[in-house]
Structures are given as structure tokens and as C-alpha cells.
């Protein structure tokens, strides 16, 4: 297991999740996420993948919830490709928020079992 690959895993996972190709039916997931993030008035929209949280309180439509479940099933496969054991990741999350200039930003954040945080900005 290579700890240095955790940052790449987190970045690639989040990048794929917020990409324009992530669709469920006619729904483009990032469009739905952008609407929810705008309604949060400056707070961060956080999807916690590890440990798995239930984001249903954020009022996501069923299409976004279906995408979240699909990505949770795909995460072990992606981790194996990155030579990362998921048991070594204490936390993995995607954060979507408005910057002071009102543009949306996305960060991927991972914390390993030693407490080291890996954070990167994700362009979408």
C-alpha cells in the first residue's frame, strides 16, 4: 500500500463524481449538486464517502442519491487500481462550496490512518 497514492485516489474519485459525464438518466449530477451548494449560503456541501454518511438530509433528488450509491460501489475498485487499501483511509470526502467571488469550488479531502490530511482542488 502506498500512502502517497491516497491524494491521487481522492482527487480522481472526486473529479469523476463532479464531472459532466456523471449522469443518472437525464440528470447531470453536478448541476444538481451546484443547486444544493448555492442554497447553503456559503456553507460547504460535504459528501462523506468514508465513513459512509447518509446525505439524505441535504434533500438530494433520487438521481443524485443513486449516483452516490454507484460511486460507493466503485470506490474499492478504484482504490485497488491506485494501490490503496481503503482500511488505511480514516476519512474521504468531497466538499463543494461558493468562493467569495460566488464561483463554485470543489475540494477532495482524505485523511489517512496516521491523521495526515490530503486536500486538493478539483476543476470541473
Amino acid at each position: 500500500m502506498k500512502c502517497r497514492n491516497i491524494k491521487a485516489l481522492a482527487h480522481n474519485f472526486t473529479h469523476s463524481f463532479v464531472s459532466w459525464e456523471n449522469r443518472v438518466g437525464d440528470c447531470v449530477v453536478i448541476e444538481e449538486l451546484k443547486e444544493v451548494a448555492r442554497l447553503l449560503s456559503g456553507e460547504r456541501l460535504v459528501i462523506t464517502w468514508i465513513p459512509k454518511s447518509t446525505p439524505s438530509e441535504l434533500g438530494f433528488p433520487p438521481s443524485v442519491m443513486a449516483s452516490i450509491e454507484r460511486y460507493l460501489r466503485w470506490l474499492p475498485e478504484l482504490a485497488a487500481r491506485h494501490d490503496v487499501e481503503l482500511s488505511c483511509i480514516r476519512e474521504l470526502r468531497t466538499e463543494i462550496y461558493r468562493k467569495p467571488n460566488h464561483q463554485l469550488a470543489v475540494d477532495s479531502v482524505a485523511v489517512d490512518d496516521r491523521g495526515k490530511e490530503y486536500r486538493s482542488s478539483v476543476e470541473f
Side-chain angles (χ1 to χ4, degrees):
M1 206 285 292
K2 298 177 184 168
C3 290
R4 70 174 186 254
N5 294 348
I6 292 174
K7 185 174 183 177
L9 167 68
H11 179 89
N12 292 342
F13 183 76
T14 294
H15 192 274
S16 178
F17 182 70
V18 300
S19 75
W20 294 99
E21 288 78 31
N22 182 11
R23 298 171 185 261
V24 176
D26 291 338
C27 170
V28 178
V29 173
I30 187 59
E31 287 296 327
E32 299 290 337
L33 294 171
K34 285 166 56 174
E35 289 304 314
V36 174
R38 283 190 179 104
L39 295 173
L40 291 177
S41 304
E43 293 182 38
R44 291 178 181 242
L45 167 60
V46 179
I47 301 170
T48 304
W49 306 98
I50 298 174
K52 182 181 174 185
S53 68
T54 306
S56 59
E57 68 272 4
L58 297 172
F60 289 145
S63 55
V64 173
M65 294 302 295
S67 178
I68 289 171
E69 289 302 319
R70 184 178 68 212
Y71 270 77
L72 282 168
R73 287 190 305 271
W74 178 58
L75 182 55
E77 178 185 335
L78 184 66
R81 283 194 239 152
H82 281 80
D83 194 23
V84 172
E85 293 177 27
L86 289 179
S87 62
C88 294
I89 298 176
R90 183 183 307 160
E91 187 173 359
L92 176 63
R93 64 185 188 270
T94 297
E95 299 179 355
I96 303 169
Y97 58 96
R98 287 175 58 173
K99 296 182 195 178
N101 65 1
H102 300 287
Q103 290 182 337
L104 283 177
V106 177
D107 288 345
S108 67
V109 182
V111 179
D112 67 18
D113 56 359
R114 300 169 299 166
K116 181 175 179 183
E117 182 177 278
Y118 305 84
R119 178 180 292 271
S120 67
S121 294
V122 176
E123 299 295 323
F124 65 98

